[in-house]
Amino acid sequence: MAKKMGRRARKFAKKNLQSVMKRKRKLNALFQKKFAPRQEKSDSPEESKNLKNDMQTPVDPEQEILDGIVSTNPFGDLFIKEDDDSGADVSDSDGYLSEDPECPYISEDEEESCPEEMCKDVVLLEQNTEINQRLKNQKRKLSKLCKKDPQFSKFLESRRSEFLKSKSEEIYSDDEGDTSSMDDEYIVGNEISQVSKVITSSTVDVWCWLVMEQPNWPGLANLLNAFRAACHYGLDTGEVSPVKIANREVFCKILTFVLSEAKGIFCGLLRISGFSNKETILKMKNKPEWKTTRSLIKSFLRSSLFLLNQETDNQILVFVLSQIRLSILLFSAFPSLTKKLIKISIHLWVTGDKDLSASSFLILRDIASEFSLDNIDTCLTKGFGAFIANSKFMKPQNIEHIEFLENSVVELYSLDIQKSYQKVLMSVQQLASILRLALKTKEKDELKKIHSWQYINCISLWVKFVSCNYKNHDLQQLLFLIIGVIKGIAHLFPGPRYLPLRFKCVKMLNQLSFSSGVFIPVESLLFDCLEIRGTNNAEGTKLKHLDLALLLKVPNQLLKSQDFQQASVLSAIKLLAEHLSQWCYHVSFPDLATIPLILLKRFHENTSIESVRRPVKRFIDQVQQNSDFIQRKRDQVSFSPKDKESVDSFLQLEKCDRSAAFTKFYDNMLQNALA
Amino acid sequence: MGKKRKVILPPDLPPEVADNDIEVSDEDLEFIGQNREYAGFLTKLDTKSIDRHVKRVAGHESDDLEALYEQRKRKASLLKRNDDDDKLQVDPVDALPVKTLDGKLEYRTVDRTKSEAITNEKDNTEENEKDMSVVKLTKKEKRLKIKKSRKEAKKEAKVEEKGNVGVEKLHTEVLAKVEEDLSAEELFRKKKIKLAEIGLQLLENPEENIKSLKELLKNCDDGNQNIVKLGLMSLLAVFKDIIPGYRIRLPTEKEMEMTVSKAVLKQRFYESTLLNSYKAYLAKLIAMEKKPSLRQVAVRCLASLLDAVPHFNYRENILAIVIKNISSPDDTIRKLCCNATKSIFLNEGKHGGEATFEAVRLIAQQVKIYECQLHPDSIEVLSSLTFDEDIGKPDTQAEAVKIKKKGKWKTPDGSNKLQGSEKKKTRQESLAKTREEVTADFKSVSFAPDSRERKRMQSETLSAVFEIYFRILKHSTDSHASRSTTDAASFSHGSSSLPLLAPCLKGLGKFSHLIDLDFMGDLMRCLKQLAGYSDHGTIQNPLSVSERLQCCIVAFRVMRNNLEALNIDLQDFFVQLYNLLLEYRPDRDQGEVLAEALKIMLCEGKQHDMQRAAAFIKRLATFSLSYGSAEAMAALVTLKHLLQKNSKCRNLLENDAGGGSLSGLVSKYQPDATDPNLSGALGSVLWELSLLTKHYNSSISSMAASIMSMGSVNPAQSQVFLSTASPLQAFRDSSILCELSKPTSKSATSRQKQRELQKDYVLMDPEVMQNGNLVDEDEVRRKLEDRFAVHKVITENERLRKELNHTLSSISLYEEYNRQKKQKRRRTTKRVLGD
């Protein structure tokens, strides 16, 4: 509100209090020389806040003086840009920097004569010419009227000023447009001697060269202002920027140069070799140079964030992100900007394509690993929230993306286990309580909650987390809880319709068992699908490819189809192989394989689906072979089951070599699946 | 003035008093003579109270009348009603508004209905009073009165307009008017209120108002279904309340002829009216039961009647309907019927067991008629039956006498138990003693018929129950045989084709101790067939695994109770169990049944053959490797039991070369053998346990560890390990819900000492991540330029549009300007003119 008021008041002043403005400008010029050292103050947030307040009462003479002191802009205008995303930082003003008046501007008529050539949007261009034509006609008409009746022009003026009193913004800009000449290059004719400096490509070249040559060159502010203007290009609402970008080359040059060289420039300014870690930044804050560079850095960061917010093209975004990432530690000095950055990065991470997602993830990871605890918290919470919100649906297109998101969340959470453990535990407990309720009530709504991708993806996320970190941390409690939840899910949805869900559960259990080394029996969960009997005639709808990974529940029409049976039997065998392969060197392997073997043999005899016979047979043979192998080996040993050490050391050599036939078979199977 | 006051005080001045006057006066004249002294006595009464009453009611009447009126009122409250009443009604005071005896009641009804239309209320009270007066009259005069009163009631409106009381006229007029205007809705409301009133009166004083039952019954013929339902329900409430605790026996012809006292006559009248109405009510209900729209209400009424008054007349009819609906496809109806039947079974005290037998017999008929295709609930109810074994046992008679005498009921001579071997009796003797004390207490409070009778009934009931069960079993085995050829669809179990088998098996298990030995052989054969395992897998057997396990359980229960008498080889059932362990699927079959089977077949009972025990031990160990924790826990508990009992089997825990020497017939372990005796399990080693110690569930891993340590302990000490937990208990304790509810600790203790950030990637490939960041800068540049161009055009467009709009509006302003100019000019000219 205050901002808005400020801007309105400012405009009002500009429009109606010309004399005041003029006086102010005079004062400015005066103060500029007298209080030169105080210039730097103007950009601290407190000051600018003050400033904004002051703007509301521009008639107060004392305030004017103050204005004069702080506003050192040679052009007598200080812009306070209202950011689109203003929620986070009230105290952070986003304005142009005070510029160095001596900065060289090289005038050069290199304005593009016809932007038409450049632009591909033909429709818009046509529209523009058409409107232009109409405008000319109307103007002619108007001027005729004015000539005819000079009284009318006066009348018009009075009307306009009346209007302006009630409404400000639109009319104001209208006015400006009206009074400016047809030439769209310069804004002239207004009472305010508002001249935007045009930055030509040679100007930029000179600036760049100067910046690179002398680190303390004061014209850096001008360059950053130009950068800001470029970032805001095309989106300024009613504000006049002090710089005008001449053409696309300039635009491009400014953006790429500033983004890619920012790190070097600021390092030079702060006299440090680079931003290696947090300590450097802390140290840097105490340096005297910090005071001078702070506003410059802030302007740069803010403009970059604005660009990130506005830009839609993935490649540009990736570029910007990767450049920002080089100097990411600068953000740690500005907490509110960091929050903004997190917000934007999470948005891009979740919605962007592969590259963009990856680069935003890198930003997040950097923030989480380098920044203060607060930021880690935000990163973890928001990252998890965004993942959950985006994992509602599984489609062939987004399955990879969701997996990436899942992996990145695990990465983020693995950064600081101590901290994230609480969060994970809470989340899993929440899942468990939902499940408990569903087990008790068996109500449809509760079941639906569990039988959703969100729930399953969440579980699978934590499974991944546990299996990644089990080795280095004591996550036993969490492990048991998760196993309980997964078993509960499998128990809650029996029947062939939910086989895909069950396969997922088994997969997760295998994953957990594999990483933690505990024994989790899963065989009984898979026996069901060996008993599905469908219609023997294969007349039903033949699907090209039935991907069980994309389903939680099998649609009814597929339930009896051969495709489904085939797919489920094959998945079951795969999971069973996964389970058995983990224990294929264990002394009790033959016993572990007993029941599956009996059932599989029976299935092999009875099945009517020819296509699964061969893989089943092959699997049976392999398991049998391994079983015989272990049997032979253990017949030779003399220790008893209770001799724990001997049991543990049984066939360890072979295990390390991965020499058993079954391991090879399993590896082969995995490779086939990948191919 | 008087008129006005009457209108103001409607409750006090019910005009129908006139009816009574006319009705009663002639007949009752003589009473005045007889009872004159009463009147005289009453004149001496307290005048103060008289005044109080009179002032309020009829200030305009003459003093005489007032006095008389008051006298009568006092009398009514002081003396017995009937006699005085009649006399007083002859008095001229009858013209007065307040009715004789029931002043209190009348006020109440009036109060309640004050808000209602006057006409309505009048209508009701009129009817009530009619009834009341009728009751007051002697029975002889009754019928005449009714007819008379009805006629007169009709005439009244016309004839008596100019009668003694003027108010009457007013009221009837209003009545007529209002009745015309009554909408259907009001009618409904009126009827509702009427129902409530009659019902309330009946409940307040059933003896006096018994005639209202007819009135209520009439309501049930209403065209409006809602009224009918309400009528039925209110009648239900009334009957539940007023039906006496005994069965009404109507007097015979002979008895009718005998002269009896007035009270008896009255009682007779009351009972016959009640019974007749009840009969009519039931007839109505039974008729309505056939209409789909009213079926639910009718069944609800019947069921609750059966529940509340099973001892009363016409129970058979109710029972027949209720049992007919016991397997109704409608859930609510079925529930109602089942619950009513259960309450019959459970509260035998209410009806002395007769109804139980009838109900069971009816269910048996149903089963027979529908060829076992009923809803499982209809058999389920049988399990609430209780059979008291002690009734009339000759052996326990002596003791029974004592207790039964205390309880005020006759001692039976219960020697005519239909069947029962001496052996069984002696066995149960000891049991009986302990049970007696409990049952005696129950009996003493519940009234029961002759115990011999009860005994007979009970045994009949029992045989009917077993008839049902055997019929179902027979049917199942038959269809089993016929069905085995057809391929049952994948997951559907037998329960769909044999809906009654599951509850039947449950019931058999429950009553297994009561089964007659003669049937035993057949029963076992049946069960064996049903549990039958075929080598070709489950498909061949339409029964589900649970059902087959249940068969085994029942067989064992039966055998356990009669083991001494029979010597049937249970080996077959062990084979079944051995193989069924493989068929079991955790979420399809009931784990509790499995646990129970393990308990009954393996944990309890005598020692097992060593081969068999070893085979089971091995199989259970293997089983627990493949199945969930609940099942595994149950299996391990059983395994432990077996190891404890069969010390020689502990050799399985040791891997020693000599193990083979014990193995007998088969020297090498055959995991896929179907017969436990031929599996050669004695030669195997329980390697499973070593993997089970790695089980994620801590209770299972510790259990496995404790089992492993059993081998080293010498047999003498092993008793210490005898755990009391049964497999069933173990199963329940480790169910998924329990597993989920375990508390979890709040903190993770990291294996790394210090809080240290993990900088390495745990999942992703860092190389890939870094490479993904490379962007083609030229491409970016090109895109940036494009962006610039597009934005430029857009801003241009916006600016032009604004300008155009502005110019257009300026031009449009011109017209306004012209108008204003004209006005100004006109004004100035005006002013000029005015000047």
Side-chain angles (χ1 to χ4, degrees), chain A residues 111 119-120 124 127-128 131 135 138-139 142 145 148-149 151-152 155-156 159-160 174 177-178 184 233 247-248 251-252 255 311 313 315 318 359 361-362 365 369-370 373 407-408 411 414-416 418 421-422 425 429 435-436 439 468 470-474 477 480 483 485 487-488 490-491 494 502 518-519 521 523-524 527-528 531 533 583 586-588 591 594-595 599 602 634 637-642, chain B residues 490-491 533 539 582-583 585-588 618-619 622-623 625-628 653-655 671-672 685-688 690-691 694-696 708 712 736-737 739-741 743-752 755 757-764 769-770 772-773 775 777 779-781 783-789 791-794 796-797 799-804 806-808 810-811 813-814 816-817 820-821:
Chain A
E111 174 64 16
C119 189
K120 287 153 195 146
L124 256 167
Q127 211 179 9
N128 276 4
I131 293 173
L135 182 68
Q138 298 296 336
K139 283 230 160 166
L142 185 66
L145 283 173
K148 213 171 80 183
D149 194 346
Q151 289 275 316
F152 175 57
F155 171 75
L156 266 183
R159 281 306 284 253
R160 199 167 294 146
D174 273 2
D178 188 22
D184 54 356
Y233 185 77
N247 59 19
R248 55 207 179 103
F251 178 78
C252 186
L255 284 181
E311 190 50 69
D313 183 83
Q315 270 189 302
V318 171
S359 29
F361 161 66
L362 287 176
R365 191 173 181 276
S369 59
E370 306 288 352
L373 286 177
N407 287 347
S408 14
E411 290 287 356
S414 306
L415 283 171
D416 184 357
Q418 217 67 324
Y421 180 80
Q422 293 303 324
L425 188 66
Q429 272 167 345
L435 182 69
R436 220 173 296 136
L439 277 170
C468 283
Y470 193 83
K471 280 198 189 84
N472 299 327
H473 301 270
D474 180 20
Q477 296 289 332
F480 293 159
I483 293 175
V485 171
K487 287 233 155 187
H491 169 79
R502 177 167 297 201
V518 300
F519 173 69
E523 292 168 352
S524 64
F527 293 156
D528 273 350
E531 277 160 32
R533 296 279 177 283
W583 304 107
H586 197 268
V587 70
S588 64
D591 307 301
T594 303
I595 295 181
L599 294 177
R602 195 191 293 160
R634 78 178 179 189
V637 299
S638 57
F639 59 83
S640 295
K642 65 178 173 181
Chain B
S490 58
F491 269 81
Y533 171 79
I539 327 129
L582 294 183
E583 306 298 328
R585 298 288 171 272
D587 295 315
R588 184 191 63 188
K618 183 71 184 166
R619 171 129 304 175
T622 314
F623 175 83
L625 271 187
S626 292
Y627 288 85
L653 295 169
E654 304 291 338
N655 178 24
D672 24 9
V685 180
L686 286 178
W687 290 110
E688 290 93 338
S690 63
L691 188 51
K694 294 190 171 202
H695 200 283
Y696 76 92
M708 275 203 292
S712 55
I736 282 158
L737 209 56
E739 217 170 282
L740 272 179
S741 317
T744 36
S745 72
K746 285 285 172 193
S747 67
T749 46
S750 174
R751 291 192 186 136
Q752 298 168 344
R755 176 182 178 264
L757 285 176
Q758 235 174 306
K759 296 266 180 170
D760 304 330
Y761 286 91
V762 285
L763 261 181
M764 296 175 179
M769 291 308 296
Q770 297 305 334
N773 260 338
V775 200
E777 288 212 20
E779 180 70 17
V780 171
R781 204 158 285 156
K783 288 206 169 174
L784 280 173
E785 286 174 3
D786 280 354
R787 177 184 143 93
F788 179 77
H791 278 302
K792 184 150 189 167
V793 175
I794 289 171
E796 178 71 11
N797 187 293
R799 195 183 61 79
L800 283 173
R801 271 169 194 277
K802 269 182 195 165
E803 223 168 292
L804 182 65
H806 186 73
T807 327
L808 283 174
S810 300
I811 291 171
L813 269 176
Y814 183 66
E816 202 188 324
Y817 163 74
Q820 280 193 1
K821 215 161 69 178

Side-chain angles (χ1 to χ4, degrees), chain B residues 609-623:
Chain B
D609 169 32
M610 198 164 70
Q611 278 289 350
R612 191 204 286 153
F616 269 106
I617 287 169
K618 183 71 184 166
R619 171 129 304 175
L620 285 173
T622 314
F623 175 83

Side-chain angles (χ1 to χ4, degrees), chain B residues 391-453:
Chain B
I391 311 169
K393 283 272 165 60
D395 325 48
T396 58
Q397 206 176 351
E399 280 162 341
V401 171
K402 278 187 209 160
I403 300 155
K404 282 165 189 169
K405 266 184 182 166
K406 259 187 220 163
K408 286 181 188 172
W409 54 287
K410 283 174 201 166
T411 333
D413 181 354
S415 54
N416 68 338
K417 187 183 183 335
L418 279 188
Q419 12 75 4
S421 66
E422 281 304 308
K423 261 187 183 171
K424 199 178 169 191
K425 278 177 191 165
T426 46
R427 237 196 89 251
Q428 288 167 345
E429 199 184 308
S430 55
L431 263 177
K433 274 183 189 166
T434 50
R435 276 192 199 147
E436 201 148 44
E437 283 172 42
V438 183
T439 47
D441 280 335
F442 171 67
K443 277 175 199 159
S444 62
V445 289
S446 64
F447 89 104
D450 187 340
S451 89
R452 190 192 307 172
E453 184 68 9

Side-chain angles (χ1 to χ4, degrees), chain A residues 276-550:
Chain A
S276 51
N277 53 21
K278 248 195 294 190
E279 280 75 47
T280 346
I281 292 292
L282 284 176
K283 245 186 262 166
M284 167 182 92
K285 269 186 173 175
N286 298 327
K287 280 192 177 183
E289 289 92 347
W290 175 248
K291 273 184 186 165
T292 52
T293 38
R294 189 181 185 279
S295 55
L296 297 175
I297 292 174
K298 196 169 182 188
S299 168
F300 163 70
L301 295 179
R302 200 183 289 121
S303 304
S304 320
L305 283 182
F306 189 83
L307 186 63
L308 281 180
N309 246 343
Q310 294 304 326
E311 190 50 69
T312 50
D313 183 83
N314 282 331
Q315 270 189 302
I316 298 177
L317 283 170
V318 171
F319 173 73
V320 176
L321 282 175
S322 59
Q323 297 308 324
I324 286 182
R325 196 173 156 241
L326 295 176
S327 44
I328 187 123
L329 272 172
L330 288 176
F331 274 97
S332 62
F334 307 97
S336 67
L337 291 183
T338 314
K339 284 215 175 75
K340 256 192 206 172
L341 179 66
I342 292 174
K343 198 173 162 191
I344 296 170
S345 310
I346 280 181
H347 176 75
L348 295 174
W349 168 65
V350 159
T351 55
D353 69 353
K354 202 176 156 226
D355 287 342
L356 181 57
S357 204
S359 29
S360 1
F361 161 66
L362 287 176
I363 293 262
L364 285 175
R365 191 173 181 276
D366 282 351
I367 294 175
S369 59
E370 306 288 352
F371 283 31
S372 66
L373 286 177
D374 253 10
N375 292 318
I376 298 180
D377 243 25
T378 343
C379 274
L380 295 187
T381 327
K382 286 202 171 169
F384 176 65
F387 168 74
I388 287 303
N390 273 275
S391 59
K392 278 183 192 158
F393 307 101
M394 286 291 248
K395 280 171 251 147
Q397 306 91 272
N398 73 352
I399 193 160
E400 209 174 299
H401 182 58
I402 286 185
E403 203 188 327
F404 172 77
L405 293 183
E406 197 176 270
N407 287 347
S408 14
V409 174
V410 172
E411 290 287 356
L412 289 180
Y413 273 74
S414 306
L415 283 171
D416 184 357
I417 302 288
Q418 217 67 324
K419 189 141 187 67
S420 53
Y421 180 80
Q422 293 303 324
K423 285 182 192 294
V424 178
L425 188 66
M426 248 163 66
S427 170
V428 175
Q429 272 167 345
Q430 198 187 348
L431 294 174
S433 69
I434 292 172
L435 182 69
R436 220 173 296 136
L437 193 67
L439 277 170
K440 266 181 203 150
T441 61
K442 306 252 170 187
E443 265 170 32
K444 226 179 170 184
D445 288 348
E446 301 297 328
L447 292 183
K448 245 185 199 162
K449 260 189 223 163
I450 292 170
H451 183 265
S452 67
W453 278 112
Q454 252 176 330
Y455 192 94
I456 301 302
N457 280 331
C458 192
I459 278 282
S460 109
L461 171 74
W462 299 136
V463 165
K464 235 177 213 173
F465 172 79
V466 169
S467 41
C468 283
N469 296 299
Y470 193 83
K471 280 198 189 84
N472 299 327
H473 301 270
D474 180 20
L475 301 176
Q476 217 175 9
Q477 296 289 332
L478 197 58
L479 174 78
F480 293 159
L481 191 61
I482 288 190
I483 293 175
V485 171
I486 298 172
K487 287 233 155 187
I489 298 170
H491 169 79
L492 202 55
F493 297 97
R497 280 206 75 179
Y498 296 98
L499 270 180
L501 175 64
R502 177 167 297 201
F503 288 148
K504 278 190 183 69
C505 292
V506 173
K507 205 171 168 54
M508 291 191 267
L509 288 176
N510 276 342
Q511 203 177 339
L512 287 174
S513 170
F514 203 76
S515 57
S516 64
V518 300
F519 173 69
I520 308 173
V522 295
E523 292 168 352
S524 64
L525 297 174
L526 297 169
F527 293 156
D528 273 350
C529 56
L530 298 180
E531 277 160 32
I532 310 170
R533 296 279 177 283
T535 46
N536 292 340
N537 46 344
E539 32 88 29
T541 46
K542 263 273 182 190
L543 278 185
K544 284 276 182 297
H545 182 65
L546 182 68
D547 194 355
L548 292 182
L550 292 171

